[in-house]
Amino acid sequence: MKLRKVTAVSAVVLALTVSATACSSKKNDSGSSGGGKTIAIGIKYDQPGLGQKTPQGYAGFDVDVATYVAKKLGYSSDQIEWKESKSADRETMLQRGDVDFIAATYSITPKRQAKVDFAGPYLLAHQDVLVRADDSSIKSPADLNNKKLCSVTGSTSAQNVHDKLAPKAQLQQYPTYSACLTGLQSKAIDALTTDDSILAGYAAQAQFKGKFKLGGFKMTNENYGIGVKKGSPLKDKINKALEEMVADGSWEAAVKKNFGPADYKNEPAPKIGDIKS
């Protein structure tokens, strides 16, 4: 009986040891750099030039920024677990701990800052319009009056233009940006509006090269930040990584790689904490 008791105790100790080892091999959630098996990063899956899931993998400016940051945190590219972060889900994903950080055209706003923290900004974008390359009739926001202006269903971009700049613009809602581009190409619509970075990403696709141009209107400021859970120590580490990305030229290289074909006139890399209203 004594031998059986000792054996039982040993089995319990062994089970606890195995359990602890298994737990330690999981993703590091403490906010410390490296040391974890993987790091979970939220991106968009459907935004060419920014965050897109392709048969060859993940591509875009946000992906390049996130990969650089992850490397500085101690993770190689094959240790990154990419997760789709739709706009409506981003705060919830961070609050639940589904991801360590999110880089997904995530504009810093007071409303969002009440729920999550932001590193950055790492890109200053603006609401703009995309028009056909041969269209010289739209030179300012006012020229959108009596024009068919497209944006995706649920977006407020076109409504903002209508309410503030071109009250006679004819608003058109399409299910996707790709559908708007098709309509723009066929002349069913006259212009597409959203963030200039998003427009540049679409226009830079091979099948659209040279067919569209950005208006350059800069109708709003969109400060893209990297979202983290409220109080996460990752914020300061990500900010440091972003500063290093700018300093070593990797940021500028990523801009040219992802937006260059659209002739995107990007703003200089913003300073950390400098949020333009």
Side-chain angles (χ1 to χ4, degrees):
M1 291 295 292
K2 194 171 185 179
L3 179 60
R4 288 180 181 177
K5 287 182 179 180
V6 171
T7 302
V9 170
S10 299
V12 170
V13 172
L14 179 60
L16 290 173
T17 302
V18 170
S19 176
T21 302
C23 289
S24 66
S25 69
K26 292 183 179 179
K27 173 174 72 71
N28 180 14
D29 294 321
S30 66
S32 60
S33 60
K37 185 176 180 181
T38 62
I39 184 167
I41 303 174
I43 57 169
K44 292 291 181 67
Y45 276 14
D46 59 351
Q47 288 184 343
L50 286 153
Q52 186 178 28
K53 184 178 182 180
T54 74
Q56 293 75 39
Y58 300 90
F61 180 71
D62 284 347
V63 174
D64 289 344
V65 170
T67 301
Y68 185 99
V69 169
K71 183 178 179 181
K72 290 297 182 179
L73 293 176
Y75 296 90
S76 61
S77 57
D78 59 1
Q79 289 178 302
I80 297 174
E81 180 185 359
W82 299 108
K83 293 192 175 184
E84 183 176 17
S85 297
K86 296 180 179 179
S87 296
D89 300 333
R90 289 177 298 200
E91 286 83 35
T92 301
M93 291 181 73
L94 288 169
Q95 291 169 339
R96 285 195 313 228
D98 297 341
V99 291
D100 293 286
F101 67 81
I102 290 177
T105 58
Y106 204 0
S107 295
I108 302 172
T109 67
K111 184 177 179 180
R112 290 169 178 165
Q113 287 177 305
K115 298 178 181 179
V116 300
D117 285 342
F118 285 95
Y122 64 92
L123 183 72
L124 176 59
H126 307 281
Q127 187 180 343
D128 201 357
V129 296
L130 193 71
V131 298
R132 288 182 294 278
D134 60 357
D135 186 350
S136 59
S137 67
I138 301 176
K139 298 178 181 179
S140 71
D143 293 331
L144 294 167
N145 281 308
N146 301 311
K147 299 286 189 178
K148 293 180 180 177
L149 180 63
C150 186
S151 193
V152 297
T153 304
S155 170
T156 59
S157 298
Q159 191 65 51
N160 288 340
V161 174
H162 179 273
D163 292 347
K164 300 175 183 178
L165 300 168
K168 294 182 181 180
Q170 300 171 27
L171 306 187
Q172 308 287 316
Q173 288 194 334
Y174 282 41
T176 64
Y177 290 117
S178 295
C180 281
L181 281 171
T182 300
L184 186 58
Q185 190 172 6
S186 68
K187 300 186 178 182
I189 61 170
D190 300 301
L192 161 61
T193 185
T194 188
D195 295 358
D196 54 7
S197 58
I198 297 174
L199 295 173
Y202 276 95
Q205 294 178 94
Q207 68 268 36
F208 297 131
K209 189 174 181 180
K211 295 181 179 179
F212 305 113
K213 63 182 179 182
L214 289 162
F217 298 160
K218 299 184 179 181
M219 294 181 281
T220 64
N221 290 328
E222 305 295 337
N223 302 271
Y224 289 176
I226 292 181
V228 297
K229 190 173 184 177
K230 203 74 175 171
S232 171
L234 279 179
K235 177 182 174 179
D236 291 340
K237 295 175 182 178
I238 293 173
N239 278 334
K240 182 179 179 181
L242 292 174
E243 289 176 335
E244 292 175 358
M245 187 177 188
V246 173
D248 68 17
S250 297
W251 184 91
E252 188 65 32
V255 169
K256 291 180 179 178
K257 169 189 167 187
N258 293 290
F259 303 127
D263 195 27
Y264 176 45
K265 303 297 191 298
N266 65 282
E267 296 279 4
K271 293 182 179 180
I272 299 302
D274 184 12
I275 301 172
K276 303 293 186 184
S277 59

